[in-house]
Amino acid sequence: MKKSTRLSTFFLAFLFILLGCSQQGPLWWKGNLHTHSLWSDGDDYPEMVVDWYKSHGYHFLALSDHNVLSTGEKWTNVPEGGDRMQAYGNYLDRFGAEWVVEKQKGDSLFVRLKTLEEFRGLFEEPGQFLLIQGEEITDRFETKPVHVNATNLRELVPPQGGGSVLEVMQNNVNAVLAQRERTGQSMFPHINHPNYGWAVAVEDLIGLQGEKFFEVYNGHPAVHNEGDSLHPSTERMWDIILTERVERGDGVMYGIAVDDAHNYRALDSNHSNPGRGWVMVRARELTPDAIIIAMEAGDFYASTGVLLEDIRFEDNTISLTIQAQEGVSYKTRFIGTRRGYGPADEV
């Protein structure tokens, strides 16, 4: 494997994206594509989750709970005391008794989770904020967790299984792409947190067909972005993937940053909180089609803090302008593999 210089944890931007960038007209839209709520293993109501992102300056959000869409009927139990009761109280205060649907069953209180179609009207505004339906297709091979996000699904994709980690990923990617082909609706899969459970090797990602995205940064504290003595970091994985795929003619794989948020009240490094990683997408309008088209063209960057005023590729020259914060120093490093490298080379 080749060694890649480590990018700053505050800035994860894939600069190959620039070939697809337009020079005038499009705007930058901030969004998160990996988010959880009480529809699966998040700890807050979906409206509260959406409210956090909209109030913190995001333009779009995909709710991507495990193996479920925010459709149909689901009730969640509210035990006496503890975090769940606190979440219920906050939910009731924020949206009111007329909005919250609840029932008593014996000594237990239950609250019905609202569907995406029920609550999207509370938040969506043309050109201001957009909600996108998503799913974290949660699969495994033997004991290894293999998760694939799908953005802008029309229908639920059940886990497809397979005889290896690569085959599980490929089958789930294929299922999303097949739904896209069949329905005509824009959507795409992306590979989640490859180092979670040390499940996905860089060789698996190199061999994957039809996939354009993976999480080079995931904000969950348990996914091992940094790797360890036996496993490469996701940033080093990315460099290896790009080198091998481009050399083979398989095209690039874009790196995205996401929150993978589960916890919305306990805000500390031990919990999976919102606001840690996002994508900035340059598109002419704030619609699912426009966001997906721009991302597939590579007209976006991923960040964990730094914002850009502009980014260009002209006359074989990359240039960018950072939206600087007072008192902060910035260092920009361009990382790649030299032509003519040997298998044992370090870059």
Side-chain angles (χ1 to χ4, degrees):
M1 289 186 177
K2 296 161 286 300
K3 182 180 179 182
S4 170
T5 306
R6 184 178 176 276
L7 283 169
S8 166
T9 57
F10 296 103
F11 183 44
L12 298 160
F14 179 32
L15 296 176
F16 281 108
I17 66 176
L18 302 172
L19 293 172
C21 291
S22 304
Q23 297 299 312
Q24 296 178 345
L27 300 173
W28 288 110
W29 310 103
K30 180 178 182 179
N32 181 46
L33 296 175
H34 190 165
T35 325
H36 295 278
S37 74
L38 283 169
W39 275 96
S40 62
D41 59 347
D43 68 2
D44 216 340
Y45 296 86
E47 301 98 306
M48 297 294 286
V49 174
V50 176
D51 194 46
W52 188 97
Y53 282 93
K54 185 174 182 180
S55 66
H56 283 77
Y58 285 70
H59 300 104
F60 65 93
L61 177 69
L63 293 173
S64 57
D65 281 299
H66 295 279
N67 293 337
V68 67
L69 302 179
S70 304
T71 60
E73 184 171 309
K74 180 174 181 177
W75 295 79
T76 184
N77 186 24
V78 184
E80 286 288 340
D83 287 348
R84 192 64 68 87
M85 181 58 74
Q86 180 186 347
Y88 164 73
N90 294 340
Y91 179 47
L92 197 61
D93 290 342
R94 174 65 181 85
F95 292 98
E98 291 186 359
W99 175 261
V100 177
V101 179
E102 59 185 60
K103 66 181 179 182
Q104 198 75 28
K105 190 173 182 181
D107 295 330
S108 299
L109 174 65
F110 289 83
V111 175
R112 183 173 69 81
L113 299 180
K114 295 296 183 81
T115 67
L116 176 61
E117 292 309 312
E118 286 180 291
F119 63 74
R120 73 189 319 157
L122 294 178
F123 302 101
E124 289 192 319
E125 297 180 65
Q128 298 294 323
F129 190 77
L130 172 71
L131 284 168
I132 302 174
Q133 182 163 255
E135 176 193 355
E136 183 168 11
I137 306 168
T138 306
D139 211 336
R140 64 175 48 249
F141 171 69
E142 296 177 345
T143 61
K144 295 181 177 181
V146 182
H147 298 185
V148 177
N149 254 48
T151 297
N152 202 38
L153 280 175
R154 181 177 293 183
E155 304 161 358
L156 183 74
V157 176
Q160 302 294 298
S164 67
V165 169
L166 175 56
E167 188 175 323
V168 171
M169 287 195 300
Q170 191 67 69
N171 289 344
N172 286 297
V173 166
N174 290 348
V176 176
L177 298 179
Q179 185 179 135
R180 175 174 177 162
E181 178 68 22
R182 176 171 53 81
T183 65
Q185 180 164 301
S186 297
M187 62 185 70
F188 66 75
H190 81 250
I191 303 303
N192 295 348
H193 41 57
N195 275 344
Y196 176 52
W198 310 116
V200 180
V202 67
E203 291 81 6
D204 297 321
L205 291 170
I206 291 170
L208 191 59
Q209 299 297 307
E211 179 58 86
K212 294 184 177 182
F213 306 96
F214 89 112
E215 293 176 357
V216 70
Y217 175 83
N218 178 299
H220 198 295
V223 300
H224 308 297
N225 293 313
E226 303 298 323
D228 65 8
S229 61
L230 299 177
H231 304 88
S233 71
T234 50
E235 293 174 20
R236 185 181 178 195
M237 291 174 76
W238 194 18
D239 189 37
I240 297 166
I241 293 162
L242 290 175
T243 300
E244 297 298 327
R245 285 174 64 105
V246 172
E247 187 171 83
R248 295 179 184 187
D250 290 338
V252 301
M253 181 176 281
Y254 299 118
I256 66 174
V258 301
D259 281 339
D260 194 0
H262 290 73
N263 310 116
Y264 302 91
R265 292 184 307 284
L267 304 178
D268 57 53
S269 61
N270 295 319
H271 289 84
S272 180
N273 299 145
R276 290 178 175 170
W278 60 86
V279 290
M280 297 293 297
V281 182
R282 182 151 53 183
R284 293 189 175 277
E285 58 184 354
L286 185 60
T287 64
D289 282 349
I291 294 297
I292 289 170
I293 288 170
M295 289 192 67
E296 291 191 324
D299 209 351
F300 75 97
Y301 66 90
S303 182
T304 61
V306 172
L307 295 177
L308 301 180
E309 293 285 356
D310 195 22
I311 183 167
R312 294 174 181 269
F313 184 85
E314 298 174 319
D315 299 324
N316 291 323
T317 301
I318 292 171
S319 61
L320 59 88
T321 304
I322 294 172
Q323 194 177 110
Q325 298 181 35
E326 186 175 351
V328 178
S329 298
Y330 298 87
K331 178 185 288 187
T332 302
R333 290 186 288 177
F334 297 88
I335 297 171
T337 302
R338 296 182 183 275
R339 289 192 178 100
Y341 74 95
D345 287 349
E346 293 186 352
V347 294

